[in-house]
Amino acid sequence: MNIGIHIGNKSMNNKKGELPLALSRYKDSDFALQQRVRLVFYFSVSAIIGLALIVLSTAYIQVISSDYGKLYLPIIFSEFSMAVIFIIALFLLMRGLYGFAVHLLLISSLSAVWFVMWIDKSEVIARLDTIVIIVAILSMMPLFIIKYQKTIIAYILANVIVLFVFVKIFRQQFSISNASVDDFLVDTSFAIIFTGIAGYSTFRINKKSIDRAISDTKQRKYVETALEKSENNFREMTDLLPQTVFEADLCGRLTYVNKSGFEIFGYNTDDFHNGINIFSAIIHEEQELAFANMKRLIDSETNKGYIYTAVRKDKTTFPIQAYTSRILENQKPIGFRGIIIDITERKNAERALKESEFKFKSLFEASSDAIFIMNKSKFLDCNSKTSQVFGCGSDKIIGHSPAEFSPKSQPDGRESWEKAQEMINAALAGIPQFFEWLYKKYNGAEFYAEVSLNRIMIKGEYLLHAIVRDISERKKTEKALKESEERYRTIIDAFPDIIMISDQNGDIVFANDQLGKITGINPNDFSNQNIAAYIHPDDFYMVKEAIQSLISEDTIYTGIIEYRMLDSSESNHWFSGIISKITLNDQILLQSILRDITEKKSIEKELLKHQNNLEQLVDERTEELKITNVELIETNKELNAQRLELEEVLKNLQSAQKQLVQAEKMASLGILAAGVAHEINNPLNFINGGIQGINNYFIDNLSDHLENVTPLINAVNVGVSRAAEIVKSLNRFSRQTESIAESCDIHSIIDNCLVMLSIQIKNRINVVKRFTNDAVTLVANEGKLYQAILNILSNAIQAIDGEGSITIATSLVENEIVLTIADSGHGIPKENLSRIFDPFFTTKEPGKGTGLGLSISYQIIKEFSGAIEIQSEVEKGTSVIIKLPT
Amino acid sequence: MDEKKTILYVDDEQTNLLLFKINFQKRYNVITCLSGLDGLEELRSHPEIDIVISDMKMPGMDGVEFAKKAKTEFPQIIFYILTGFDISPEIEEILNTKIIHKYYCKPFNVNEIEESINSVDNLVQKKSQ
């Protein structure tokens, strides 16, 4: 890309000699040759045309001439041959073979002349006149010959020789004297030779001037080329320049900008051709200044670097420095050119330098150490820390001698002044000094400091740069550390376990005395001992793994690991220890605390042996016990089942016993009742029989009195029958015959029961009977029914405290006798309702109830395929509903 | 049948015997005795006895034993038990085996016994015909 463009660049395609198209081959030839070629070209073309005309005219003349009267072919042929030769020459010329063409023309022309002279039948002398043509032709030679001056001489000589030969051959035909012939030869030869000399000279002059011209041209061309090259060089150089190089006219319009200029300012060639003003590359605020500067520059040629803020095409800005000079043409300024340097980096560097300086100044001032500069005898500069350290203002330090801030002597007993001089001299000699020094503050207090003395050169003078660090605190710390270390060292040495520190390769860095005592590894040699070598091979990988995982993971210490170590006498030691990671001097080291557990291990081994024996024994016993256990479990199960059975049996037995006791009671009561009944029945039989007899007697013998006696007899009869009824009830109740199934009338049973309970009912309880009119009979054991109903009635009566009522209702519903006995008693609490049929369940005081009454009733009703149901509400009464199939 | 039937009444109470005789002698010939053994004697000596009514509880031989023996010896007689107790298993047994015809409870009801005897009498007559 042609970045550098010069406005008004001269067009380089000058019109060259108007060579005919046919001669394009000579386009690059030198000018003289081109001219000759053109001459020959036009000459040949004219000759061909001319010859063609001559041939035609000759033929015509011959035909019409009286001399010939017809075509004289030799002349026409020769003329025609000439034309052919010219055509060939023209052809050669067009092929670029100029030399061939020219010599062909010359030779053939001369030959033709000579040939014509030779064969012409006219007078020899007349023919000799034709020599003039030869001379004419020869005189043309310099026009054609370019090189080889000797060629001309050759031509001259050849013609002279041909002349002499011609003259010799035709001598006899000459009608002139020999002297005339010689004279003719001499004259003619001279003519030819002079023509040759003239031609030769013309050629030489011509050639020389041509050469001169060519050389001039070449030189000019060379200069031009050199100039062009130089210009190109400069252009390339300007393009290579990292800075912007420009030229502008007086208006500021840019006429040249180098490659960097385009790159730096972000413009392209299109922008350039559209016109860029140099001032538009400077920010608006500085344009006026730039104008002013430029004006001054044009008026007087001063070349100063001005600093501006440049603006790129994309409006970003950067600092520049511009060096400009005016361009003069004919002593008048026509514009200016210059170099623009991007000084961003310089600016940055300046700023960096400033910052750096500030930083160093800050460092100097902010240093926690006192820093000062001194020469051999006094302080020259110091930072604020120095004032602080010495306890006085810098005015009390600068210009004063260091001796003023030292005690008379140093702790080693040497004079401070003497020692200080020694240090200062050494430092000034180029040996940096680093030492501790006891200083004295302005107020006289002494303190230890660490001093670093270095030689520096400022303005060609050797000075000392001193850094003083107050190390009083460190001294204290060091002392404390030393004590602490001693304390821990004592502890570690007295520690019964091995404490050692090794690096990650296992090299021991530190170990307490126990290592040597226990393993025999000499603690004095430990620095190069490889602990791994002493670990039992069987445990080596376990330990290695533990260490590797310790190093690679976040943990600080391993778990307790146990391993064996071989001591210096190759015997085993068991150790139990923890390895922990510690960092010393930025290096991860391993600290191991190891306890010798060799003895414990051997005891463990013994124990393990015992344990194994025991375990075996235990296993055997366990197996036996297992079998026994299985048996026992089986037996236990059986026993449990048996126990449950027995419990059930026992429960049944208890129940049976109670019932038996009750039954026995009832039986006894029955027997008693029966006995009583019998004993009463007999006297009743007496009364009955007696009154019967009396009645019969009155009927038979004292019928008159019968009227009076009958009421008495009836009264006796009523009494007897009532008594008999009571006795009969007792008898019925005590009837225990199991198998007897007889027709029982529920109504009469209820009545009989009420009779038996009449003492408890009388005057207290209102018994309401709502008996159905249907016959309510069923086949059952009457005695048992009595018992069942009597119990229920008895309960009803007992449920009533004081006065109350009992309603007894019977009905027949679908072959079922429904007997309801409802009392107005105190009722049964809900929680007891479910238990009232349980044997021995009673709410009565001990001895007053057996708890069997309802249970027996229940069983009796069940025995007769009946059902018994109880509804009760506390304080309202209880209803017992008995259902019995007829 | 114009002839009065003969009833043997056995009871260990003299008063009962007396009262029975007074109340039944108008319509029946009544023979009484105080024990079962005596009763058997009476039966042997009085083949005309048709009906025997015996107390249950007696010293020596009780009513059931007496009934069994009497019935064995004199199968044609009609036997009744008149007991001061209610029915007992023994009575039930001989009732079921037709040794006795019926039982009555004390105090006796003259009408009841007479009706019963009459009905049996009819039955026997029908049988014999």
Side-chain angles (χ1 to χ4, degrees), chain A residues 674-675 677-679 681-682 684-686 688-690 692-693 696 700 720 724 728 731-732 735 737 739-740, chain B residues 9 11 13 15-16 19 22-23 26-27 55 57 82-89 92 103 106-110:
Chain A
H678 185 260
E679 292 317 310
N681 272 346
N682 274 330
L684 279 177
N685 209 36
F686 297 168
N688 190 47
Q692 204 71 43
N696 287 342
D700 294 344
V720 166
K728 204 173 175 183
N731 259 336
R732 290 275 168 84
R735 203 182 276 178
T737 325
S739 56
I740 287 176
Chain B
Y9 178 64
D11 197 314
E13 288 265 7
T15 317
N16 276 337
L19 286 170
I22 290 167
N23 282 316
K26 269 193 190 165
R27 286 171 291 276
D55 187 15
K57 196 190 159 200
L82 178 66
T83 178
F85 298 99
D86 206 341
I87 190 165
S88 70
E92 210 176 339
Y103 82 94
K106 286 180 184 173
F108 64 81
N109 186 324
V110 177

Side-chain angles (χ1 to χ4, degrees), chain A residues 602-615:
Chain A
S602 66
I603 292 167
E604 260 177 25
K605 213 168 164 186
E606 276 302 304
L607 275 173
L608 196 69
K609 217 156 90 187
H610 282 296
Q611 194 188 342
N612 283 340
N613 284 344
L614 273 173
E615 268 174 13

Side-chain angles (χ1 to χ4, degrees), chain A residues 477-489:
Chain A
T477 314
E478 268 175 13
K479 200 179 161 200
L481 195 69
K482 206 169 170 188
E483 281 168 8
S484 163
E485 200 209 327
E486 207 168 295
R487 198 156 55 231
Y488 283 111
R489 166 67 76 163

Side-chain angles (χ1 to χ4, degrees), chain A residues 230-466:
Chain A
S230 165
E231 197 194 329
N232 274 337
N233 283 351
F234 277 114
R235 182 164 299 175
E236 274 169 30
M237 273 159 70
T238 57
D239 279 347
L240 278 175
L241 274 176
Q243 288 89 7
T244 305
V245 178
F246 70 95
E247 284 180 357
D249 61 20
L250 286 173
C251 301
R253 189 188 140 100
L254 285 168
T255 53
Y256 170 77
V257 178
N258 72 340
K259 192 174 167 185
S260 298
F262 281 96
E263 283 170 1
I264 291 169
F265 283 88
Y267 289 103
N268 56 33
T269 48
D270 291 341
D271 299 325
F272 180 82
H273 289 304
N274 292 335
I276 303 169
N277 194 294
I278 185 76
F279 297 108
S280 67
I282 294 170
I283 59 163
H284 191 73
E285 294 86 340
E286 293 175 4
Q287 278 177 2
E288 215 163 295
L289 174 69
F291 277 130
N293 286 339
M294 210 56 68
K295 215 170 176 186
R296 263 187 288 134
L297 174 75
I298 291 164
D299 293 345
S300 60
E301 193 187 350
T302 49
N303 187 9
K304 241 189 195 173
Y306 292 110
I307 289 171
Y308 301 112
T309 306
V311 54
R312 294 191 183 90
K313 188 186 178 186
D314 63 8
K315 305 296 175 207
T316 54
T317 59
F318 63 104
I320 55 163
Q321 187 162 24
Y323 295 91
T324 41
S325 66
R326 53 187 178 170
I327 303 170
L328 290 176
E329 201 175 276
N330 301 327
Q331 305 301 317
K332 282 175 82 181
I334 56 156
F336 46 91
R337 62 166 67 89
I339 297 174
I340 295 170
I341 301 168
D342 179 352
I343 55 166
T344 309
E345 274 177 33
R346 202 177 79 197
K347 282 268 172 188
N348 285 347
E350 275 172 11
R351 197 167 55 233
L353 191 70
K354 253 185 209 166
E355 278 170 12
S356 165
E357 201 191 323
F358 177 74
K359 216 161 17 186
F360 279 113
K361 183 74 184 168
S362 302
L363 270 178
F364 181 65
E365 283 302 332
S367 168
S368 58
D369 297 332
I371 301 172
F372 51 82
I373 293 165
M374 59 187 278
N375 61 14
K376 198 166 173 160
S377 56
K378 60 186 183 196
F379 297 119
L380 298 176
D381 193 8
C382 70
N383 66 355
S384 52
K385 183 73 184 177
T386 312
S387 308
Q388 211 178 318
V389 167
F390 290 137
C392 58
S394 59
D395 57 316
K396 298 266 173 36
I397 299 167
I398 296 168
H400 290 255
S401 164
E404 290 174 35
F405 294 98
S406 299
K408 207 172 167 59
S409 59
Q410 289 297 311
D412 63 359
R414 291 185 63 187
E415 291 265 326
S416 292
W417 182 82
E418 186 194 331
K419 197 177 174 187
Q421 282 305 311
E422 198 175 290
M423 299 292 181
I424 288 166
N425 286 334
L428 280 173
I431 308 157
Q433 297 293 309
F434 190 77
F435 53 92
E436 279 183 17
W437 193 258
L438 184 63
Y439 275 104
K440 191 180 80 184
K441 289 190 180 192
Y442 190 72
N443 64 8
E446 291 179 358
F447 67 95
Y448 277 100
E450 213 169 59
V451 184
S452 161
L453 275 186
N454 279 291
R455 189 178 73 177
I456 53 170
M457 184 179 267
I458 294 174
K459 293 175 184 166
E461 191 190 349
Y462 281 132
L463 296 175
L464 288 175
H465 171 259

Side-chain angles (χ1 to χ4, degrees), chain A residues 4-134:
Chain A
I5 293 172
H6 218 286
I7 287 283
N9 200 1
K10 278 172 193 162
S11 174
M12 297 301 288
N13 51 343
N14 281 339
K15 258 193 170 181
K16 293 210 168 173
E18 300 90 25
L19 272 184
L21 209 66
L23 299 177
S24 58
R25 280 175 187 272
Y26 301 93
K27 197 164 58 184
D28 297 326
S29 304
D30 63 57
F31 185 69
L33 181 61
Q34 284 178 349
Q35 294 305 312
R36 283 193 173 94
V37 169
R38 189 163 39 197
L39 175 68
V40 174
F41 178 74
Y42 289 122
F43 178 74
S44 301
V45 172
S46 325
I48 291 163
I49 296 165
L51 279 169
L53 290 173
I54 286 168
V55 168
L56 291 174
S57 66
T58 306
Y60 177 71
I61 289 164
Q62 283 176 353
V63 172
I64 64 160
S65 152
S66 55
D67 291 345
Y68 299 98
K70 60 171 184 176
L71 280 177
Y72 181 66
L73 282 177
I75 291 173
I76 291 175
F77 178 75
S78 62
E79 285 170 355
F80 183 74
S81 301
M82 279 305 290
V84 169
I85 286 161
F86 272 106
I87 289 167
I88 291 166
L90 191 63
F91 175 74
L92 287 169
L93 186 72
M94 282 161 73
R95 295 286 301 211
L97 300 165
Y98 171 76
F100 280 107
V102 165
H103 288 293
L104 177 67
L105 282 179
L106 284 174
I107 292 166
S108 50
S109 305
L110 291 170
S111 302
V113 174
W114 285 115
F115 181 70
V116 171
M117 283 170 72
W118 194 279
I119 60 161
D120 198 346
K121 287 183 180 84
S122 57
E123 193 191 350
V124 175
I125 297 299
R127 279 187 276 170
L128 277 175
D129 291 343
T130 317
I131 296 288
V132 177
I133 298 171
I134 300 291

